[in-house]
Amino acid sequence: MIIIVLFLYLFVILFDFIPIYTQLSKKDIGIYIVLIITALTLSVAIEMGIEIPSPAKPLEGIISFLIGEDK
Amino acid sequence: MEKEIVTNKQVINIMTMFLIGSTLVLGVGSDAKQDSWIAIIIGIGYVIPTVLIYSRILWLFPGKNLFQILERIMGKYVGKAVSLLFIWYAFHLGALVTRNFSEFINIVALLETPPLVPVLVLIMLCIWGVKEGIEVLGRWSQFVLPILTTILFITVILSFPLGDWTNIRPIMYNNLGPILKASYGVFSFPFAETVIFMMILGGLKGQKGYYKVYLKSILLGGFIVLIINLRNIVILGYEFIDNIYFPSYAAVSLINIGDFLQRIEILVSVVFLFAGFIKICICLLAVCYGAAQVLNITEYRILVTPIGLMMMILSLIIYDSMMEMQEWAFVYYKFYAFPFQVILPLIIWMVCEIVVKQGNKKSIAKST
């Protein structure tokens, strides 16, 4: 699966980023690269079986605290 | 940002598909048992004043979307901070809907496939759709919605022989309490989710269009949800609905006309996926508009792919199981969504009115 994920990101960079990067400003390129690297890191981590904490749990905690109901 | 213009009709189509998106898959109002159809009607009643507020905010600043309005009325920094909250809501909602559909596909069709595969295909399509822009989505939904509703109503007609009307009786047996509770659930999921449209409806033709678009789509979408919900209760009964994950799918799978016309649930699954596609696209579009506005990027399209991929990742990590998803959707979601759907729009509306009034006073003072 990791190979598939890596191919996906290669595909994205080849077909989404390379054709347009000459028209982008430095700031745009920076934002794009930061977002893609974050996404790539997280995707590879998921496929390697590393558990990434889900935001649903803390939100559930806050909501239960606020509505005073422990479900 | 170049302006994309959509007609009122196209937005009504998009919004109707958005409303029926994941609602038909998961079903709504199960707290009210056999009276869930009453809960839906009350839920529509609740949502009408809310969408009037949404329309009023857009009406006061024609041609601007929510993020632009926020920066205008609250200033650069506070406006951006509030925008971030809305961006998070749209992003989270998109991930939730993606997860709903990936679970749906995984449970009813592709049991052994890793969840990444259906999600990836869905998100890739959505990224493509959003890159094409809201105009293309509008035209697409104008073409697809009639087909979709026809299929849904054909399944309703075909399931008539299976109906057992005693399933909806006794009406109001459990008093009004559970019905009101369920109607609040129906209000937050799916009707008040239309707050997302405030983030994308910058370029609508005609200023009065906002009211018309919101009300018509709520009524149309509400009608479809009501009919399908009634069909599900009449065919399956609420005890059975409580025990299954996807009531509409189960109800349609029972249709069997003369041993010839059967197994048409696959057709309905496709319908669900079409509507879900639009819902995910709209959420992604809202996030991209917001992110472009907050980061001062002129062209939102460059953000679509990375944000789409991030949404895919969130949808994969957000729940451990289908049960957790169900619990979140029916227990926590309504409380979680309330600030985004009601409190923040209410505050924004009040600030908008004050700003507009002061602006009018200033312009009158200048002219005299």
Side-chain angles (χ1 to χ4, degrees), chain A residues 1 4-5 8-9 11-12 16 20 24 27-29 31-32 35-36 38-40 42-43 46-47 51-57 59-60 63-64 67 69-71, chain B residues 88 92 114 116-117 120 124 127 131 181 295-299 301-303 305-307 309-310 312-314 316-320 324 327-328 331-333 335-336:
Chain A
M1 283 308 277
I4 295 178
V5 171
L8 163 76
Y9 282 87
F11 175 84
V12 164
D16 189 64
I20 55 160
L24 301 177
K27 186 178 132 196
D28 295 353
I29 294 174
I31 291 168
Y32 189 96
L35 287 172
I36 281 285
T38 320
L40 175 66
L42 290 169
S43 305
I46 292 171
E47 290 312 319
E51 204 161 303
I52 299 162
S54 148
K57 300 266 157 52
L59 284 174
E60 260 176 45
I63 294 163
S64 308
I67 60 173
E69 185 180 329
D70 200 25
K71 188 84 186 169
Chain B
W88 162 253
H92 190 197
L116 177 71
V117 179
L120 189 63
M124 278 300 187
I127 289 173
K131 274 192 170 246
K181 208 173 156 194
L295 297 169
N296 288 332
I297 294 175
T298 44
E299 179 59 50
R301 283 187 176 83
I302 54 161
L303 293 171
T305 316
I307 291 178
L309 291 169
M310 300 273 254
M312 176 186 87
I313 292 162
L314 182 62
L316 289 171
I317 60 167
I318 195 149
Y319 306 123
D320 295 331
E324 202 186 330
E327 193 191 7
W328 173 266
V331 179
Y332 296 108
Y333 181 77
F335 300 108
Y336 160 71

Side-chain angles (χ1 to χ4, degrees), chain A residues 27, chain B residues 67 70-72 74-87 290-297:
Chain A
K27 186 178 132 196
Chain B
F67 304 113
L70 283 172
E71 274 198 27
R72 167 91 195 277
M74 293 186 174
K76 206 172 164 190
Y77 296 105
V78 182
K80 278 188 178 171
V82 181
S83 294
L84 279 178
L85 288 176
F86 278 104
I87 293 170
Q293 180 74 24
V294 170
L295 297 169
N296 288 332
I297 294 175

Side-chain angles (χ1 to χ4, degrees), chain B residues 42-166:
Chain B
I42 299 175
I44 296 172
Y46 285 162
V47 87
I48 285 175
T50 321
V51 296
L52 288 179
I53 294 176
Y54 301 165
S55 322
R56 174 76 184 165
I57 295 171
L58 290 170
W59 188 83
L60 287 171
F61 297 93
K64 287 196 161 56
N65 62 32
L66 180 66
F67 304 113
Q68 290 160 334
I69 295 173
L70 283 172
E71 274 198 27
R72 167 91 195 277
I73 61 167
M74 293 186 174
K76 206 172 164 190
Y77 296 105
V78 182
K80 278 188 178 171
V82 181
S83 294
L84 279 178
L85 288 176
F86 278 104
I87 293 170
W88 162 253
Y89 177 63
F91 184 67
H92 190 197
L93 182 64
L96 296 186
V97 179
T98 315
R99 181 59 186 250
N100 290 348
F101 281 93
S102 84
E103 287 285 349
F104 177 65
I105 296 170
N106 261 331
I107 288 178
V108 303
L110 309 170
L111 300 173
E112 300 289 327
T113 314
L116 177 71
V117 179
V119 176
L120 189 63
V121 175
L122 202 58
I123 281 286
M124 278 300 187
L125 264 181
C126 292
I127 289 173
W128 185 13
V130 174
K131 274 192 170 246
E132 294 297 326
I134 191 168
E135 284 181 358
V136 174
L137 290 177
R139 289 202 291 271
W140 185 81
S141 53
Q142 205 171 10
F143 171 71
V144 170
L145 186 69
I147 302 173
L148 201 144
T149 32
T150 316
I151 293 173
L152 283 176
F153 282 103
I154 287 175
T155 61
V156 171
I157 294 166
L158 288 179
S159 47
F160 255 61
L162 298 165
D164 176 7
W165 288 90
T166 52

